[in-house]
Amino acid sequence: MRAKLSLYLDLIRWNRPAGWLLLLWPTLSALWLAQGGFPGWHLVVVFTLGTILMRSAGCCVNDVADREFDKHVKRTAQRPVTSGRISSREALAVGGVLAAAAFGLVLTTNAVTIAWSFAALAVALVYPYAKRYVSMPQAVLGVAFSFGIPMAYAAVRGDIPWQAWALLVGNLFWVLAYDTEYAMVDRDDDLRIGMKTSAITLGRWDVPAVMAFYVAYLALWSWLVLPGLDAAWGWWLGVAGAAVQVVWHGTLIRDRSREGCFKAFRLNHWVGFSVFVGVLLSVGP
């Protein structure tokens, strides 16, 4: 049982929290923005645990969908499903249990949030297969990884204003930035097996495109949130922290080395954390 538990934890990337942190910070930022301050412990706990559970469930589905491709990629060849240590059926069962637990949390919110949770699930299930047909599958991932934003507004307000959808679009640019860095790590393997990624599609424009995506993310969020802030200085402090990291990431990926690109991706959650701190410092109590 201990060995099986270890495999399950490996399946959901438990030792790599960067994945769920990338989802968590924009979701928490949306909760604070929707409420105009602290949204209450109930919603903080629901969305934090829900984010961890759904990201873990997504890993299960992704590994089953990519099990044949992952055999040919150095970084993923030893994943539990790909290596045969966990069957596809078992991985999907684990993912189903985790998704059901997340849905149980959503049931403690309101009808609007519950209804939109089905759309969020649908996008999450589509993404693993988008890599076969869409030249920029990172855009699909961007929608999936940003769906916590409108759901946070729904949970706080009972509806989803246009600002929430606009913030989703802005956050999508951040996902495009960090997941293109991630795709740059596997570019050679993906070219060999015929996988479609933004790193391949962008070609020699990958590095400038990543930097442009970062700028678009920070600029769009600033334009959207500044009018409703109580203390703009707090927001700009958070953005400054994020911008310093973006410049550093540019130095990490400019030579397109596997190590530099993976490091930039792995530490990207600190960019989202900086923006969240900016929100904390600039909205109500």
Side-chain angles (χ1 to χ4, degrees):
M1 288 299 296
R2 183 176 298 178
K4 182 67 73 172
L5 177 60
S6 178
L7 282 175
Y8 288 162
L9 292 177
D10 191 20
L11 174 68
I12 65 173
R13 324 278 203 272
W14 183 253
N15 63 334
R16 282 161 281 177
W20 59 262
L21 288 170
L22 290 169
L23 283 81
L24 181 64
W25 298 131
T27 301
L28 291 183
S29 296
L31 279 175
W32 258 259
L33 289 168
Q35 183 65 47
F38 179 58
W41 285 112
H42 169 242
L43 289 181
V44 171
V45 171
V46 165
F47 277 87
T48 299
L49 292 180
T51 294
I52 296 171
L53 289 167
M54 282 307 299
R55 185 262 180 170
S56 299
C59 289
C60 298
V61 175
N62 184 78
D63 283 10
V64 171
D66 286 351
R67 61 192 183 279
E68 296 301 325
F69 290 103
D70 285 347
K71 292 178 181 178
H72 307 285
V73 179
K74 183 187 305 182
R75 183 180 52 81
T76 59
Q78 295 306 311
R79 285 178 173 174
V81 177
T82 304
S83 61
R85 290 174 293 162
I86 292 180
S87 69
S88 295
R89 181 177 297 180
E90 189 174 4
L92 290 176
V94 172
V97 170
L98 294 170
F103 185 63
L105 291 170
V106 173
L107 290 176
T108 69
T109 58
N110 58 40
V112 178
T113 312
I114 293 169
W116 279 104
S117 70
F118 291 100
L121 176 63
V123 178
L125 292 175
V126 165
Y127 166 68
Y129 300 95
K131 290 175 280 188
R132 294 153 173 76
Y133 309 105
V134 181
S135 59
M136 293 279 283
Q138 281 68 23
V140 181
L141 181 71
V143 176
F145 269 36
S146 304
F147 224 93
I149 295 171
M151 288 188 64
Y153 272 81
V156 170
R157 300 188 178 191
D159 65 358
I160 305 178
W162 72 269
Q163 183 191 38
W165 297 113
L167 287 170
L168 181 151
V169 173
N171 197 71
L172 188 152
F173 281 104
W174 180 39
V175 180
L176 281 171
Y178 66 67
D179 208 53
T180 298
E181 291 173 343
Y182 195 42
M184 290 166 70
V185 177
D186 298 330
R187 189 200 322 255
D188 294 342
D189 291 329
D190 289 336
L191 279 168
R192 189 176 67 255
I193 62 179
M195 189 73 77
K196 298 179 184 294
T197 73
S198 56
I200 293 172
T201 300
L202 292 168
R204 64 189 181 91
W205 296 102
D206 52 357
V207 174
V210 166
M211 302 309 290
F213 294 149
Y214 278 126
V215 171
Y217 160 58
L218 294 175
L220 274 171
W221 269 58
S222 296
W223 175 66
L224 289 164
V225 307
L226 275 172
L229 298 182
D230 299 311
W233 66 267
W235 171 256
W236 288 121
L237 186 63
V239 169
V244 169
Q245 294 177 70
V246 167
V247 173
W248 176 46
H249 288 183
T251 67
L252 290 174
I253 68 173
R254 64 187 175 189
D255 63 355
R256 299 176 176 84
S257 69
R258 284 178 177 261
E259 296 76 14
C261 293
F262 190 62
K263 184 175 183 178
F265 164 77
R266 188 168 46 83
L267 297 177
N268 232 287
H269 61 91
W270 290 108
V271 175
F273 175 73
S274 296
V275 172
F276 175 57
V277 169
V279 172
L280 285 180
L281 295 174
S282 56
V283 297

